[in-house]
Amino acid sequence: MKSNLTTLCHIEKDNQYLMLHRISKSNDINKDKWIGVGGHFEKGESPEECLLREVKEETGLTLTSYRFRGIVTFCLEKEGGEELVEYMCLYTADGFEGTIKECDEGVLEWVEKDRLEELTLWEGDLLFLNLLRKEAPFFSMKLCYRENGKLYFASLDGREIALDGCGARE
């Protein structure tokens, strides 16, 4: 089993999130999806150090106000029984300095929060984006996907979430 530690940040401005359309890398698990900005921890980094570095690298922005909102555990079943696991520290940010630069991982775009479900997102992202929108307290979410990208299990704070319609578009 391979394990990864990552951060993801949804930067907010005028009821919009800065979203990254991942279209640049050919071998990318997020290819063609819209996600927040973030990435993998480097050796010895704290979650906040990773967050600040990744946001600066991907956007050119320096965060001045941010909140740690939750932990998301992603599981991906692969053929042959291998399972990839990623632990993601989820943040929102409402203060930043600087000018947005081109990102080598895709295209950055400000998207109205009420338009997010129109984008090509991971199915489970709608679940945690809904929690962010509702200002939910700190949470732990688990999202399990099959290799084809289909979400087959989700839980919130240790309790399974019914996936009929995913509950994310309520």
Short mmCIF file of all heavy atoms in Angstrom, two decimals, residues 40 45 50-51 68 71 83 85 88 93 149 157:
data_model
loop_
_atom_site.label_atom_id
_atom_site.label_comp_id
_atom_site.label_asym_id
_atom_site.label_seq_id
_atom_site.Cartn_x
_atom_site.Cartn_y
_atom_site.Cartn_z
N HIS A 40 1.79 17.73 -2.70
CA HIS A 40 2.44 16.78 -1.79
C HIS A 40 3.39 17.48 -0.82
O HIS A 40 4.08 18.42 -1.19
CB HIS A 40 3.21 15.74 -2.60
CG HIS A 40 2.32 14.86 -3.41
ND1 HIS A 40 1.80 13.69 -2.93
CD2 HIS A 40 1.84 14.99 -4.66
CE1 HIS A 40 1.03 13.14 -3.85
NE2 HIS A 40 1.04 13.91 -4.91
N GLU A 45 8.10 18.98 6.15
CA GLU A 45 7.14 20.09 6.15
C GLU A 45 5.96 19.83 7.07
O GLU A 45 5.48 18.70 7.18
CB GLU A 45 6.56 20.31 4.74
CG GLU A 45 7.43 21.10 3.83
CD GLU A 45 6.76 21.42 2.50
OE1 GLU A 45 6.03 20.57 1.95
OE2 GLU A 45 6.98 22.53 2.01
N CYS A 50 3.54 23.21 3.78
CA CYS A 50 3.19 22.64 2.48
C CYS A 50 2.15 23.50 1.79
O CYS A 50 2.28 23.82 0.60
CB CYS A 50 2.69 21.20 2.66
SG CYS A 50 2.18 20.42 1.12
N LEU A 51 1.11 23.88 2.52
CA LEU A 51 0.04 24.71 1.97
C LEU A 51 0.61 26.00 1.38
O LEU A 51 0.35 26.33 0.21
CB LEU A 51 -0.96 25.05 3.08
CG LEU A 51 -1.93 26.19 2.78
CD1 LEU A 51 -3.01 25.73 1.81
CD2 LEU A 51 -2.54 26.72 4.07
N PHE A 68 -7.65 25.71 8.52
CA PHE A 68 -7.59 24.25 8.38
C PHE A 68 -9.00 23.75 8.62
O PHE A 68 -9.55 23.89 9.71
CB PHE A 68 -6.61 23.70 9.42
CG PHE A 68 -6.17 22.28 9.21
CD1 PHE A 68 -5.25 21.72 10.08
CD2 PHE A 68 -6.63 21.49 8.17
CE1 PHE A 68 -4.79 20.42 9.93
CE2 PHE A 68 -6.20 20.18 8.01
CZ PHE A 68 -5.28 19.65 8.90
N ILE A 71 -9.74 16.90 7.38
CA ILE A 71 -8.85 15.87 6.83
C ILE A 71 -9.71 15.00 5.92
O ILE A 71 -10.81 14.58 6.30
CB ILE A 71 -8.29 14.96 7.95
CG1 ILE A 71 -7.45 15.74 8.93
CG2 ILE A 71 -7.53 13.78 7.36
CD1 ILE A 71 -6.05 16.01 8.49
N GLU A 83 -3.99 -0.84 -3.27
CA GLU A 83 -4.82 0.30 -2.88
C GLU A 83 -3.91 1.50 -2.62
O GLU A 83 -2.92 1.39 -1.89
CB GLU A 83 -5.62 -0.02 -1.62
CG GLU A 83 -6.55 1.10 -1.21
CD GLU A 83 -7.38 0.75 0.02
OE1 GLU A 83 -6.81 0.21 1.00
OE2 GLU A 83 -8.58 1.03 0.01
N VAL A 85 -3.59 5.21 -0.97
CA VAL A 85 -4.24 5.99 0.07
C VAL A 85 -3.56 7.35 0.14
O VAL A 85 -2.33 7.44 0.11
CB VAL A 85 -4.15 5.28 1.45
CG1 VAL A 85 -4.78 6.14 2.53
CG2 VAL A 85 -4.83 3.92 1.39
N MET A 88 -5.33 14.04 2.92
CA MET A 88 -5.30 15.41 2.44
C MET A 88 -5.77 16.37 3.53
O MET A 88 -6.84 16.21 4.10
CB MET A 88 -6.21 15.55 1.22
CG MET A 88 -6.21 16.93 0.61
SD MET A 88 -7.36 17.01 -0.78
CE MET A 88 -8.92 17.12 0.09
N ALA A 93 -8.95 29.68 2.21
CA ALA A 93 -8.19 30.92 2.44
C ALA A 93 -9.01 32.08 1.93
O ALA A 93 -9.63 32.00 0.87
CB ALA A 93 -6.85 30.86 1.71
N GLY A 149 -12.75 5.53 -11.28
CA GLY A 149 -13.10 6.85 -10.79
C GLY A 149 -14.45 6.92 -10.11
O GLY A 149 -14.88 7.99 -9.68
N ASP A 157 -16.84 11.90 9.63
CA ASP A 157 -16.58 11.72 11.06
C ASP A 157 -16.89 10.30 11.53
O ASP A 157 -17.50 10.08 12.58
CB ASP A 157 -17.37 12.75 11.87
CG ASP A 157 -16.92 14.18 11.57
OD1 ASP A 157 -15.73 14.39 11.26
OD2 ASP A 157 -17.77 15.10 11.63
#
